[in-house]
Amino acid sequence: MKLFGTAGIRGTLWEKVTPDLALKVGKALGTYVREGKVTIARDGRTSSIMLENALISGLLSLGMEVIKFGLIPTPALAWGTRRYGDTGVMITASHNPPTDNGIKVFNGDGTEFYLEQEEELERIIFSENYKKAGWDEIRKVHEKDIVDEYIGEVLDFVNHETNLKVLYDGTNGAGSVVAPYLLREMGAKIISVNAHIDGHFPGRKPEPKYDNIAYLGPLVRELGVDLAIAQDGDADRIAVFDEKGNYVDEDTLIALFAKLYVEEHGGGVVVTSINTGSRIDEVVEKAGGRVYRVPLGQPHDGIKKYNAIFAAEPWKFIHPKFGLWIDSFVTMGLLIKLIDEQGKPLSEIIHKEIPTYYLTKKNVKCPDQYKKTVLEVARHVLEEKLRNEIKEILTISGFRFNLKDGSWVLVRPSGTEPKIRLVVEGPTEKRRDELFELTYGTVRRAVEEAMKKKK
């Protein structure tokens, strides 16, 4: 698709994402759903109000009824859509740089639009076959504050009080209007950083990957907190440090929750993305469950297909018993509950329950128009060099080679940025490093060659 990627429409302001595009999405959405209430929310980016107003104008031109939630996190928009709307739209670029923005569309049950729905929206946009409302069919915009209600629902679901000391990093994003208040209501002692809204993201880059939040480790140790929690710009993502200031690997956190849910259900299916590792499979299978992998950005499709009891991607967790959307606030509440119920520090829980694997992730810059060529070349080269070691090849998102010794290599195009994403995991650090050096060098050379040929 030309507009939608792995998480809605996302891109640089004025280059891809414009008020005109937002207007067209509003008109296309109104044409597609035809009737009902559309909920709208936005993050704190400097361009979000502008895009929100353009999108609302498009919806109103179709005679749609609009409910405006204002500046709230994406999980709250999804919850509010299920409670008050038939369709929802979030204006956000999530973890992208402040120069970017985007549009994400939700169904009435809180799920993100499925692939076929996004394809239909694109078809309507490019055909420009929009409906129009008569002058007497244009409706009003209703404003509604749902933050307190949403916090109350999360508190009821988690059902736990704590006295843990928590360091919270809101990256100057939308999570800051919910997380500190939620944690305080749970009884936690909160120390907040980057918790005021600022679309320039002055505190740090909005993506909560380790490189951007490493400074939290020393802060954890200096402040003596029980854990640190970091979010991204729209607060669907969550990253965690334990009480020793150690970053909790994304796969480890997924494995911890997967194990919890499978044990609670006495089995069941866990859905996770193509870029996650073997520790998840090990703990789930040992607990009596099964893991299925899906393309990145499609955990909702996986839940629907496999009737999953839990679904996750790195930094993103879906708790179906609460709702069918990615929800970092439920995740932080349940994590605190787990620590308290086990009566041990997070580092000890992880050491006891989650096996160690060695994983490396890295991005290679690659313009969108070269991604297909680069993937084809890199796959051919790596398949030739690893042919005697390959156990299985998965092609649901880029390509993933599962190797006979338990190692694996993933090369996939980013659906939101001009990058090729690499993930390599091995049973030892030496094996991981060997595979990473081979993979990274192969992809970089493929990008360089593709760009030379196009000049």
Side-chain angles (χ1 to χ4, degrees):
M1 292 188 288
K2 294 181 179 180
L3 297 177
F4 287 88
T6 54
I9 297 172
R10 203 180 296 171
T12 304
L13 187 69
W14 306 122
E15 291 181 12
K16 180 176 181 179
V17 179
T18 65
D20 183 57
L21 175 62
L23 178 71
K24 290 177 179 178
V25 171
K27 292 164 72 174
L29 184 58
T31 301
Y32 176 67
V33 300
R34 298 187 179 184
E35 59 183 18
K37 299 177 181 178
V38 182
T39 60
I40 307 290
R42 57 181 168 84
D43 68 12
R45 292 169 184 269
T46 60
S47 56
S48 290
I49 293 177
M50 173 181 69
L51 297 173
E52 177 188 54
N53 286 328
L55 187 130
I56 289 174
S57 293
L59 289 166
L60 293 176
S61 73
L62 272 294
M64 302 299 295
E65 184 174 353
V66 176
I67 303 175
K68 221 172 127 178
F69 292 149
L71 198 166
I72 59 173
T74 294
L77 175 277
W79 176 85
T81 300
R82 186 181 65 178
R83 175 62 63 91
Y84 294 107
D86 300 291
T87 311
V89 184
M90 183 72 188
I91 304 295
T92 182
S94 188
H95 63 282
N96 279 33
T99 52
D100 292 7
N101 216 322
I103 303 169
K104 189 180 292 187
V105 188
F106 292 79
N107 289 298
D109 61 359
T111 57
E112 294 176 26
F113 257 35
Y114 296 100
L115 183 63
E116 61 271 18
Q117 292 177 297
E118 292 177 335
E119 288 175 341
E120 181 60 17
L121 283 185
E122 279 207 10
R123 187 196 66 76
I124 296 171
I125 290 170
F126 288 117
S127 70
E128 298 187 347
N129 187 23
Y130 308 120
K131 290 186 173 183
K132 291 181 181 178
W135 67 270
D136 56 347
E137 297 174 319
I138 298 174
R139 303 189 184 188
K140 295 181 179 180
V141 177
H142 306 277
E143 296 187 9
K144 188 169 186 61
D145 183 351
I146 64 168
V147 170
D148 288 343
E149 280 187 88
Y150 172 67
I151 290 174
E153 286 282 321
V154 176
L155 289 171
D156 288 345
F157 181 77
V158 174
N159 190 27
H160 181 73
E161 293 184 359
T162 185
N163 60 4
L164 293 184
K165 192 173 181 180
V166 180
L167 173 62
Y168 170 72
D169 181 348
T171 194
N172 304 114
S176 300
V177 306
V178 170
Y181 306 98
L182 169 67
L183 295 171
R184 186 179 64 190
E185 287 298 314
M186 288 183 67
K189 301 174 181 65
I190 308 301
I191 301 174
S192 296
V193 295
N194 303 322
H196 64 282
I197 307 296
D198 189 328
H200 297 88
F201 299 107
R204 65 166 169 87
K205 294 179 180 179
E207 185 175 10
K209 64 179 181 179
Y210 178 74
D211 292 350
N212 294 337
I213 58 175
Y215 63 87
L216 291 176
L219 268 181
V220 166
R221 293 186 289 270
E222 182 179 343
L223 297 170
V225 299
D226 296 295
L227 76 160
I229 294 170
Q231 293 182 308
D232 66 337
D234 69 329
D236 59 352
R237 297 187 174 210
I238 183 172
V240 175
F241 286 77
D242 68 20
E243 82 290 347
K244 293 182 178 180
N246 298 317
Y247 179 73
V248 180
D249 181 270
E250 302 95 81
D251 286 353
T252 295
L253 204 57
I254 293 172
L256 193 64
F257 276 97
K259 181 177 184 291
L260 177 70
Y261 277 108
V262 172
E263 289 178 343
E264 181 183 301
H265 286 79
V269 170
V270 169
V271 167
T272 188
S273 54
I274 189 68
N275 61 336
T276 58
S278 302
R279 70 197 73 185
I280 300 167
D281 303 72
E282 183 172 331
V283 300
V284 167
E285 290 168 8
K286 188 175 180 180
R290 187 171 181 179
V291 175
Y292 286 100
R293 282 186 169 78
V294 296
L296 201 69
Q298 297 182 25
H300 311 88
D301 301 78
I303 293 173
K304 183 178 180 181
K305 182 176 180 179
Y306 300 111
N307 192 30
I309 58 173
F310 173 63
E313 297 179 356
W315 302 293
K316 298 179 178 182
F317 300 78
I318 300 177
H319 308 272
K321 285 178 66 176
F322 180 78
L324 298 174
W325 54 85
I326 298 161
D327 201 308
S328 63
F329 301 100
V330 171
T331 302
M332 68 177 70
L334 291 179
L335 180 61
I336 289 170
K337 184 176 183 178
L338 173 66
I339 294 170
D340 282 338
E341 288 184 342
Q342 296 217 8
K344 299 175 184 177
L346 182 56
S347 64
E348 289 186 23
I349 296 171
I350 290 170
H351 180 73
K352 177 183 176 183
E353 299 190 11
I354 309 301
T356 300
Y357 288 80
Y358 300 90
L359 183 143
T360 295
K361 298 180 179 182
K362 195 171 181 68
N363 298 323
V364 177
K365 290 184 179 179
C366 178
D368 291 342
Q369 64 266 34
Y370 302 137
K371 286 178 179 177
K372 183 178 179 181
T373 299
V374 168
L375 286 171
E376 290 174 351
V377 171
R379 175 177 173 176
H380 175 75
V381 172
L382 290 172
E383 195 168 353
E384 179 66 23
K385 291 185 177 181
L386 296 171
R387 60 181 174 179
N388 294 326
E389 304 175 50
I390 297 174
K391 177 182 177 182
E392 180 185 25
I393 300 176
L394 303 179
T395 57
I396 58 175
S397 181
F399 61 87
R400 172 169 168 158
F401 296 158
N402 290 332
L403 307 181
K404 295 174 183 177
D405 67 350
S407 304
W408 57 276
V409 172
L410 172 68
V411 180
R412 71 170 187 87
S414 169
T416 58
E417 299 176 88
K419 298 175 181 177
I420 300 288
R421 303 196 188 276
L422 315 180
V423 188
V424 176
E425 184 174 71
T428 65
E429 289 181 284
K430 181 180 178 181
R431 177 61 167 155
R432 175 204 61 188
D433 293 344
E434 290 172 349
L435 286 169
F436 175 75
E437 184 178 348
L438 171 63
T439 305
Y440 183 66
T442 298
V443 173
R444 281 199 65 180
R445 285 190 293 273
V447 171
E448 291 169 1
E449 292 171 4
M451 294 181 71
K452 284 179 183 179
K453 289 180 180 179
K454 293 293 183 179
K455 287 183 179 179

